[in-house]
Amino acid sequence: MKTPSIAIEGNGKSTVIDILNARLADAIDLALIVKQAHWNLKGIQFIAVHEMLDPIRAAIDVHIDAIAERVAQLDGIALGTSQVVAKSTKLAPYPTDIRKVPDHLAALADRFATLANQVREDIDATDEAGDADAADILTAFSRELDKDLWFIKSHLE
């Protein structure tokens, strides 16, 4: 007897799995980027930004887990290895030669905005594919990315 599965019409399930795995790669990359900045900040705003980045990273990790678990719930394989992330991320490579707080903040803001805008597109795509739950997961991630982008940009102005 075949075990029951989440019913999503047509190729909707594979579409959603592909979208979620793509965002999983980006989210893992962003989490690593946040730590890269966290470890290498120098300047007058050091402590404020350094302490701001740890909870931002922790929040990203929560969303990474939710995205990966939704892939598994849909009978897919969550692809989160460093090899897959390096090959699949849509985020621009993060500069590893910067130290000044404003340079890190600008680089972070760019990557947060890129991912936030992509996630917003994916909310509609997963909903259209028939998975309101995946759209909801991405909506929560979108809110977090927008909030974190606001925090980061507030240090630049």
Side-chain angles (χ1 to χ4, degrees), residues 23-109:
R23 294 306 69 78
L24 181 61
D26 294 342
I28 292 169
D29 191 21
L30 186 63
L32 293 170
I33 285 168
V34 168
K35 272 304 191 184
Q36 178 69 25
H38 173 82
W39 294 322
N40 292 292
L41 296 165
K42 299 280 185 207
I44 192 99
Q45 295 176 297
F46 166 78
I47 198 64
V49 175
H50 182 80
E51 290 182 354
M52 176 183 73
L53 293 179
D54 272 336
I56 287 174
R57 165 62 190 264
I60 295 169
D61 287 343
V62 169
H63 294 285
I64 286 170
D65 203 45
I67 292 166
E69 287 176 354
R70 185 62 182 163
V71 170
Q73 291 162 15
L74 296 172
D75 300 322
I77 302 286
L79 303 173
T81 66
S82 59
Q83 295 82 8
V84 170
V85 170
K87 186 172 85 172
S88 302
T89 185
K90 301 298 182 219
L91 301 182
Y94 195 80
T96 56
D97 61 344
I98 58 175
R99 292 185 176 270
K100 293 180 181 176
V101 170
D103 295 338
H104 279 290
L105 290 170
L108 287 168

Side-chain angles (χ1 to χ4, degrees), residues 85-134:
V85 170
K87 186 172 85 172
S88 302
T89 185
K90 301 298 182 219
L91 301 182
Y94 195 80
T96 56
D97 61 344
I98 58 175
R99 292 185 176 270
K100 293 180 181 176
V101 170
D103 295 338
H104 279 290
L105 290 170
L108 287 168
D110 177 62
R111 282 143 189 90
F112 271 82
T114 296
L115 185 51
N117 291 326
Q118 181 61 59
V119 168
R120 264 188 290 289
E121 289 179 27
D122 293 336
I123 292 166
D124 293 336
T126 53
D127 193 41
E128 288 170 12
D131 191 352
D133 293 331

